[in-house]
Amino acid sequence: MKKINILVLALLSALILVSCGSNGSGSKSSDTQLISQTNNNYYQGVIKKGHYVTSKSRGVSVQQNDNQLNLKGFENGLLSISKSQFPTDSYILQEGQYIDTSTAEKWLDRKSKDNPEGLNPAGKDTKEPMYLQQMDEQDFMEQSHGSLNIKGMTIGLGINSVYYYRKEAYGAVYQRKLDDKDVETQGKAIANQVLKRLRQRKDLKNIPIVIALYKQASNDSLVGGNFFASSVNDKGATSISNWKSLNIKNYVLPDQSNRDINSNDEDAFENFKNQVQKFFPNLSGVTAQAHYVNGNLRGMHINITTQFYGQSEVISFTQYVDAMAKKYLPNSIPIDIQVSSSEGIQSFLSRKTGNKDFYTHVFTSY
Amino acid sequence: MKKINILVLALLSALILVSCGSNGSGSKSSDTQLISQTNNNYYQGVIKKGHYVTSKSRGVSVQQNDNQLNLKGFENGLLSISKSQFPTDSYILQEGQYIDTSTAEKWLDRKSKDNPEGLNPAGKDTKEPMYLQQMDEQDFMEQSHGSLNIKGMTIGLGINSVYYYRKEAYGAVYQRKLDDKDVETQGKAIANQVLKRLRQRKDLKNIPIVIALYKQASNDSLVGGNFFASSVNDKGATSISNWKSLNIKNYVLPDQSNRDINSNDEDAFENFKNQVQKFFPNLSGVTAQAHYVNGNLRGMHINITTQFYGQSEVISFTQYVDAMAKKYLPNSIPIDIQVSSSEGIQSFLSRKTGNKDFYTHVFTSY
């Protein structure tokens, strides 16, 4: 009885998904469906034969990042870059289908006799730094006559700012800070090779390919790295001639070093933090990631950690944080605030770009 | 320089908080401020001398619950009961100020020569079960002429459904299921004593006192217990004459036992779960807490756990869950869905009572 139900439902759901395309006309091919957008900040995704189409190199980036903030920051940043070239209302995002796991692993390794495709310099680990640390491919599709066709691609290349290496297997980890100039030169050279290789694929000859370079944060950083250059390569182009520098920076607050964070922003956060910390007799940890584009604060992610002794405390604290955030934090930028205890997230507040009020949610349980 | 800023801001914030009362007129007393409501589902809270007024028995309930779901469920359920007697737009919630830690600990212990105030039966742990497991006091205040006065109180009493005990210190834990009839009889007798004792306090003689009884869930339950009786005791009343039974039940889905969950609700959840689980090649865990009042489903909390390999997967999965939730889950009831990986919460969806759409949020990082 239940099995039959499930079968019927699977068929029904296929029909439903087909009708989910944001423009009302779904894929007509029998085994491809689209995941509809919940808001226009996200792309529609692709389901084939009932399953999500995962990346052909799924999992490689997770292995490549000792600091998972480099993974999240990299992929989110790359999505932002993609959105300006391939708007979410015209394109469908399919996870990378051209660079598979074995290709990715070869490209991310050193060049050698056994691995001629390696995009990292030949040489010994102790002598020659590795530059290319991770790669992400995003495919942008359009739907016509019931099938999905690739119409654009974005490639992100994560270049190390610090090179970590061992002198012997399982030995101590050494580190070497890489020169910004080298990061840029090596990144651009690697990007050129990637573009050339992609153009050899028939499907990819005549589509625009965006390539963006990301400088990985160090393994102990509390915020990810940042994209520093991107290029849009029109159909057919096999070498990159038009690099555009990106002035994107991510910082952690409170800021111990003396970097170029706007001091008004820093004071605003400091005031917010002081207000929040005096709420309970016990200590609250308050840190933030601050996101700058062209020198202007464009977003904050704030983490508050404290100990709660009951649900009323969580509710009151959340309402208080809401009032203090509205009062002290910069206006009009998007801000996410996550409130956690040792038992996990307790509440969160989120304000979208341009909004005055925060959405607040207290996690409860029956 | 920074210290002066902070001082000025502390003073400013006191002024701001004073003006935060939902009716526009804040406390005039110099050291009391109110935390404004972010929505009318929550009470205003109380700040004195810059700090939140925590419960006088803060922390006792945390110690008393081996299963913290009994703590969250208990306090949330009690707030719901309070709201119907003391509306959030007329009353201010102050955490309990009359039952302090030492009193709570005495009351929660067994009655004995050393502890005449104990509300649990005298006797040996191996022979005589303990019934009263936790207590919560909520004070409801009104503001007049610049000061807060207590105008009502709610007391929750958590009564064990299973009694856990040891035969020797640090020995194995034994358990004994308690009879529903005994849970009710003992709970009501304890409630009567609590009311009598509270009426001896001058402030509490002439206010309504609500007392509600909660049946604690077992320590291995994936959902908290439930309130089964409540009474509103008008000013002056020193014994409870008007118990009202509450038909509130919380269940876990999927349901292994064969309890009286509405089979439509169960099928709806099962269909949702099947759709969600086939999205990725890897397994997703999907469980829910279902909240019933008078036999009707009144809310669900759904937990989905899966492994993600990137941010695009989280976004696509969240959009898919949104579509499946709208399609398969019961309409018009409030539903929270939390999506987590081994690294913590990744996204969440929430629909308030009566709404058609879910609010969705994907947690990101810079």
Side-chain angles (χ1 to χ4, degrees):
Chain A
M1 165 64 182
K2 254 188 188 159
K3 269 194 189 153
I4 294 169
N5 268 349
I6 292 165
L7 266 173
V8 170
L9 280 156
L11 290 169
L12 271 177
S13 77
L15 291 170
I16 291 145
L17 279 164
V18 161
S19 65
C20 274
S22 68
N23 55 3
S25 78
S27 166
K28 282 174 212 152
S29 78
S30 60
D31 64 351
T32 301
Q33 295 114 34
L34 298 181
I35 303 167
S36 56
Q37 297 174 288
T38 60
N39 73 57
N40 63 9
N41 193 31
Y42 301 139
Y43 286 99
Q44 293 180 75
V46 182
I47 287 180
K48 276 193 180 150
K49 296 183 181 158
H51 302 296
Y52 181 61
V53 178
T54 55
S55 162
K56 277 265 163 67
S57 64
R58 192 184 198 212
V60 174
S61 290
V62 176
Q63 290 164 28
Q64 288 292 112
N65 285 294
D66 284 330
N67 184 346
Q68 293 296 306
L69 294 174
N70 274 326
L71 178 63
K72 284 214 166 188
F74 177 62
E75 210 183 334
N76 279 318
L78 197 62
L79 281 170
S80 294
I81 289 169
S82 291
K83 282 172 205 165
S84 62
Q85 186 66 27
F86 308 112
T88 60
D89 54 0
S90 325
Y91 293 88
I92 296 147
L93 170 63
Q94 182 174 268
E95 303 226 14
Q97 298 299 302
Y98 292 88
I99 302 174
D100 61 15
T101 297
S102 125
T103 306
E105 285 173 347
K106 280 181 206 152
W107 291 13
L108 288 163
D109 207 346
R110 288 189 187 283
K111 188 177 183 131
S112 67
K113 224 163 72 179
D114 290 346
N115 185 39
E117 293 179 50
L119 289 171
N120 272 306
K124 282 197 169 163
D125 282 356
T126 47
K127 291 272 167 77
E128 191 62 53
M130 307 262 270
Y131 287 91
L132 180 61
Q133 188 63 35
Q134 65 174 326
M135 254 190 316
D136 192 28
E137 174 202 340
Q138 296 171 348
D139 299 348
F140 294 95
M141 319 298 284
E142 277 177 9
Q143 206 171 30
S144 71
H145 305 297
S147 62
L148 289 177
N149 303 301
I150 187 156
K151 294 290 177 183
M153 182 183 275
T154 301
I155 298 285
L157 301 172
I159 312 295
N160 285 323
S161 64
V162 179
Y163 170 58
Y164 296 92
Y165 63 102
R166 288 189 159 92
K167 293 186 181 171
E168 51 194 333
Y170 310 107
V173 173
Y174 293 83
Q175 61 179 68
R176 181 166 146 196
K177 196 166 164 359
L178 301 178
D179 192 75
D180 272 357
K181 204 76 213 144
D182 292 340
V183 169
E184 187 179 333
T185 312
Q186 293 279 343
K188 289 183 174 175
I190 292 166
N192 249 315
Q193 292 201 59
V194 169
L195 180 63
K196 205 161 280 149
R197 292 179 187 182
L198 293 174
R199 289 298 190 201
Q200 290 164 11
R201 308 284 293 255
K202 192 173 149 249
D203 290 359
L204 309 182
K205 276 197 190 335
N206 289 308
I207 59 166
I209 298 181
V210 176
I211 303 192
L213 298 176
Y214 180 82
K215 185 176 144 185
Q216 306 260 125
S218 62
N219 282 350
D220 60 354
S221 174
L222 296 174
V223 68
N226 55 274
F227 281 95
F228 63 91
S230 77
S231 65
V232 180
N233 302 284
D234 296 332
K235 60 179 181 176
T238 54
S239 72
I240 303 172
S241 54
N242 56 351
W243 282 110
K244 185 181 136 197
S245 333
L246 301 174
N247 180 9
I248 300 172
K249 298 272 189 265
N250 297 311
Y251 299 113
V252 174
L253 294 171
D255 187 40
Q256 264 77 34
S257 68
N258 216 339
R259 287 182 291 194
D260 49 343
I261 299 182
N262 179 312
S263 69
N264 287 339
D265 298 341
E266 216 173 341
D267 288 349
F269 175 74
E270 198 63 33
N271 295 334
F272 169 78
K273 180 171 171 277
N274 289 328
Q275 291 300 317
V276 166
Q277 287 187 322
K278 70 181 197 186
F279 187 79
F280 284 130
N282 43 305
L283 200 71
S284 305
V286 184
T287 59
Q289 298 181 331
H291 179 65
Y292 283 83
V293 179
N294 298 326
N296 298 313
L297 186 62
R298 286 286 185 81
M300 291 179 100
H301 285 176
I302 297 176
N303 269 297
I304 304 178
T305 315
T306 189
Q307 196 182 350
F308 294 105
Y309 294 88
Q311 195 68 17
S312 300
E313 292 191 359
V314 179
I315 294 169
S316 287
F317 186 67
T318 303
Q319 296 194 112
Y320 178 80
V321 167
D322 184 28
M324 295 305 106
K326 268 189 217 153
K327 189 67 208 160
Y328 292 108
L329 296 178
N331 289 320
S332 74
I333 57 160
I335 296 179
D336 283 359
I337 305 174
Q338 197 172 325
V339 178
S340 309
S341 74
S342 57
E343 289 173 41
I345 190 165
Q346 299 297 320
S347 74
F348 105 105
L349 305 92
S350 177
R351 187 179 69 188
K352 302 231 154 85
T353 318
N355 280 15
K356 224 187 106 211
D357 290 325
F358 282 82
Y359 173 91
T360 63
H361 185 85
V362 173
F363 291 91
T364 58
S365 175
Y366 289 120
Chain B
M1 166 64 187
K2 255 190 186 156
K3 270 194 185 151
I4 294 170
N5 267 348
I6 293 164
L7 265 171
V8 170
L9 280 154
L11 290 168
L12 271 176
S13 77
L15 290 171
I16 291 146
L17 280 163
V18 162
S19 65
C20 274
S22 68
N23 54 4
S25 77
S27 164
K28 283 176 212 152
S29 79
S30 60
D31 64 352
T32 302
Q33 295 113 34
L34 299 182
I35 303 167
S36 55
Q37 298 174 289
T38 59
N39 73 57
N40 63 9
N41 193 30
Y42 300 139
Y43 287 101
Q44 292 181 75
V46 183
I47 287 181
K48 276 192 180 151
K49 296 184 181 158
H51 302 296
Y52 181 60
V53 178
T54 55
S55 161
K56 277 266 162 67
S57 64
R58 193 184 197 210
V60 174
S61 291
V62 176
Q63 289 163 29
Q64 289 292 113
N65 285 294
D66 284 330
N67 184 346
Q68 293 294 306
L69 294 174
N70 274 326
L71 178 64
K72 282 213 167 190
F74 177 62
E75 210 184 332
N76 278 318
L78 197 63
L79 281 170
S80 292
I81 290 170
S82 292
K83 281 172 206 166
S84 62
Q85 186 65 27
F86 307 112
T88 60
D89 53 1
S90 324
Y91 293 88
I92 296 147
L93 170 62
Q94 182 174 268
E95 303 226 13
Q97 298 299 303
Y98 292 89
I99 302 174
D100 61 14
T101 297
S102 125
T103 306
E105 285 173 346
K106 280 181 205 153
W107 291 12
L108 289 163
D109 208 345
R110 288 190 186 282
K111 189 176 182 130
S112 67
K113 223 163 71 180
D114 290 345
N115 185 38
E117 292 179 50
L119 289 171
N120 272 307
K124 281 199 172 164
D125 282 355
T126 48
K127 293 272 167 74
E128 190 63 53
M130 306 264 269
Y131 288 91
L132 180 61
Q133 187 63 35
Q134 66 173 325
M135 254 191 315
D136 191 27
E137 172 202 343
Q138 295 170 347
D139 299 346
F140 294 94
M141 319 299 285
E142 278 178 6
Q143 204 172 31
S144 69
H145 304 297
S147 62
L148 289 175
N149 303 301
I150 187 157
K151 293 291 175 182
M153 182 184 274
T154 301
I155 297 285
L157 301 171
I159 314 295
N160 285 323
S161 64
V162 179
Y163 170 58
Y164 296 92
Y165 62 100
R166 288 190 160 90
K167 293 186 181 172
E168 51 193 332
Y170 309 108
V173 173
Y174 294 83
Q175 62 179 66
R176 183 167 146 195
K177 204 179 155 346
L178 301 178
D179 193 74
D180 272 356
K181 203 78 214 143
D182 291 340
V183 169
E184 187 179 333
T185 313
Q186 293 279 345
K188 288 183 175 176
I190 292 166
N192 249 315
Q193 291 200 59
V194 169
L195 180 63
K196 206 161 280 146
R197 291 178 188 183
L198 292 174
R199 289 298 189 201
Q200 289 163 14
R201 308 286 293 255
K202 190 172 151 253
D203 291 358
L204 309 182
K205 276 197 192 333
N206 288 307
I207 60 165
I209 297 180
V210 176
I211 303 193
L213 298 176
Y214 180 84
K215 185 175 145 188
Q216 305 260 125
S218 62
N219 283 349
D220 60 354
S221 174
L222 296 174
V223 67
N226 56 273
F227 280 94
F228 62 91
S230 77
S231 65
V232 181
N233 302 284
D234 295 334
K235 60 179 182 177
T238 54
S239 73
I240 303 172
S241 54
N242 55 351
W243 282 110
K244 183 180 138 198
S245 339
L246 301 175
N247 180 9
I248 301 171
K249 299 270 189 261
N250 297 313
Y251 299 112
V252 174
L253 294 171
D255 187 40
Q256 264 77 35
S257 67
N258 215 342
R259 286 181 293 192
D260 48 345
I261 299 183
N262 179 311
S263 70
N264 287 337
D265 298 340
E266 217 172 341
D267 288 349
F269 175 75
E270 198 62 34
N271 294 334
F272 169 78
K273 178 171 172 280
N274 289 330
Q275 290 300 317
V276 167
Q277 287 186 323
K278 70 181 196 185
F279 187 80
F280 283 130
N282 44 305
L283 201 70
S284 304
V286 184
T287 60
Q289 298 180 332
H291 179 64
Y292 284 82
V293 179
N294 298 326
N296 298 313
L297 186 61
R298 286 286 186 81
M300 292 180 98
H301 285 176
I302 298 176
N303 269 297
I304 304 178
T305 314
T306 189
Q307 195 180 351
F308 294 105
Y309 293 88
Q311 196 68 16
S312 299
E313 292 192 357
V314 179
I315 293 170
S316 287
F317 186 68
T318 303
Q319 295 193 113
Y320 178 81
V321 167
D322 184 29
M324 295 304 106
K326 269 188 214 155
K327 191 66 209 161
Y328 293 108
L329 296 178
N331 289 322
S332 73
I333 58 160
I335 296 180
D336 283 359
I337 305 174
Q338 199 172 321
V339 178
S340 308
S341 74
S342 57
E343 287 173 43
I345 190 165
Q346 298 297 320
S347 73
F348 103 106
L349 305 91
S350 177
R351 187 179 68 189
K352 301 233 154 84
T353 318
N355 281 15
K356 224 186 105 214
D357 290 325
F358 283 83
Y359 174 91
T360 63
H361 185 84
V362 173
F363 291 92
T364 58
S365 175
Y366 289 120

